[in-house]
Amino acid sequence: MTDDFTQQKSRAAAWFRQLRDDIVTAFEGLEDNHATGPLSDAAPARFEVSDTSRHSDDGSDAGGGLMSVMRGGRVFEKVGVNVSEVYGTLGEAAQRAMAARGVPGMDSDPRFWASGISLVAHMQNPHCPAVHMNTRMFWTPHAWWFGGGSDLNPCIEYPEDTAHFHGQQRAHLDPHGADLYPKLKAWADEYFFVPHRNRARGVGGIFMDDRNTGDWEADFALTQDIGRAFLPAYVPLVEKRRVQPWSDADKDTQLVHRGLYAEYNLVYDRGTKFGLATGHDANAVLMSLPPLAKWT
């Protein structure tokens, strides 16, 4: 182990990139094998991949990432799977925010490094749930931690889908401690609550932040398993629901629910705020917004 966590940073960034590759392959597979049901006669879509970059105030390199977005598919209306690795010096506002979270020494050495994966999928079929997933590692010379999770956002709820999604997450978290899934589920219920609407934005999932038990390997393994839980939790739901017909009323319900999702991401989401505050590519940060939404 080195003082600047070089090896750990490299391993974490490589894992987020591998998870991105696995998800992109799986989602393009869902486009390819959509053989029956609504829009099955359309052409399968593909991800458009572009590099993102970030620069410090003096113009020097400050990292970047990869933005992968698929639009107008026969299963996915819009889905983004982004990875990033950024670094540099935190501005004064970000330093104050870190200090408020208990990170020592930010005033004397405000360097940082962060890497992660962020995914949001908005579906063509209103019976297919939207979904969000994010995992990340953050480092400063004074502290490090992991965060993230995933949550399901159906506009038309099916209890059996919710049970499956949560069941897969519990199965992947239980090896790390039987008390962990209930804790992270409760955290997600609190985090993904929309106060001004007095309701949750979906049916929940798991969420953690500031994860540092002092055992980097154990915390990294947990973060990996949160990522590994995603595809088995979500793909079967898409495979089951994408064949169902939908009505104009179903589509209207979906668009209104997307308005709730957009409100949450723009007003409350920490990742959105951090990305914009630290100068990351705005298109990548706002990738999570739906292509169409409605307010009544």
Side-chain angles (χ1 to χ4, degrees):
M1 181 182 297
T2 60
D3 290 341
D4 64 0
F5 263 47
T6 299
Q7 181 184 22
Q8 292 90 335
K9 293 175 186 174
S10 178
R11 288 173 58 195
W15 161 250
F16 298 134
R17 178 60 182 264
Q18 181 60 57
L19 182 58
R20 173 262 173 209
D21 293 347
D22 292 344
I23 291 170
V24 164
T25 298
F27 281 7
E28 288 187 343
L30 287 170
E31 283 285 316
D32 289 341
N33 61 32
H34 182 43
T36 61
L39 301 180
S40 59
D41 56 345
R46 283 293 179 270
F47 279 93
E48 299 174 2
V49 181
S50 57
D51 293 321
T52 62
S53 61
R54 178 178 171 274
H55 296 88
S56 299
D57 291 341
D58 62 2
S60 61
D61 172 60
L66 201 63
M67 181 169 65
S68 305
V69 182
M70 182 160 58
R71 300 177 176 88
R74 50 189 188 176
V75 177
F76 296 93
E77 188 170 354
K78 178 187 176 185
V79 54
V81 189
N82 293 352
V83 288
S84 62
E85 183 177 2
V86 298
Y87 40 82
T89 301
L90 290 172
E92 290 184 6
Q95 290 179 42
R96 289 193 297 269
M98 289 294 153
R101 293 172 67 178
V103 179
M106 294 306 302
D107 55 343
S108 61
D109 190 348
R111 288 178 296 150
F112 82 98
W113 174 96
S115 182
I117 177 173
S118 180
L119 175 155
V120 176
H122 298 289
M123 313 305 289
Q124 292 280 19
N125 193 321
H127 297 283
C128 286
V131 73
H132 157 262
M133 189 274 291
N134 164 274
T135 56
R136 57 193 177 273
M137 176 186 163
F138 195 93
W139 172 92
T140 77
H142 323 285
W144 56 263
W145 63 84
F146 292 96
S150 61
D151 66 300
L152 197 67
N153 297 273
C155 66
I156 301 171
E157 296 182 18
Y158 292 94
E160 61 270 33
D161 291 5
T162 302
H164 172 84
F165 189 79
H166 282 274
Q168 285 295 318
Q169 293 179 327
R170 178 187 282 276
H172 283 78
L173 263 60
D174 276 355
H176 301 274
D179 63 329
L180 195 56
Y181 167 77
K183 176 182 177 182
L184 299 194
K185 178 185 182 299
W187 201 339
D189 290 342
E190 178 183 359
Y191 183 74
F192 295 114
F193 188 79
V194 187
H196 67 272
R197 297 295 187 185
N198 195 33
R199 59 158 294 180
R201 80 172 189 185
V203 295
I206 52 175
F207 179 78
M208 68 177 185
D209 209 356
D210 302 331
R211 178 78 179 185
N212 181 340
T213 64
D215 186 336
W216 187 91
E217 291 291 349
D219 293 344
F220 182 42
L222 169 62
T223 303
Q224 289 176 295
D225 277 342
I226 289 174
R228 291 187 184 104
F230 175 73
L231 287 175
Y234 184 62
V235 168
L237 307 183
V238 177
E239 291 174 330
K240 178 167 57 174
R241 300 298 174 191
R242 64 184 173 177
V243 300
Q244 292 183 226
W246 75 74
S247 65
D248 290 343
D250 293 334
K251 198 66 178 178
D252 191 68
T253 297
Q254 182 189 53
L255 295 179
V256 171
H257 186 78
R258 285 179 177 177
L260 175 75
Y261 194 92
E263 289 176 12
Y264 177 88
N265 277 34
L266 291 173
V267 176
Y268 302 111
D269 186 74
R270 289 182 188 173
T272 301
K273 292 179 179 180
F274 177 81
L276 295 176
T278 55
H280 197 56
D281 187 291
N283 289 325
V285 176
L286 299 176
M287 169 273 297
S288 61
L289 295 179
L292 295 170
K294 181 176 181 178
W295 286 264
T296 57

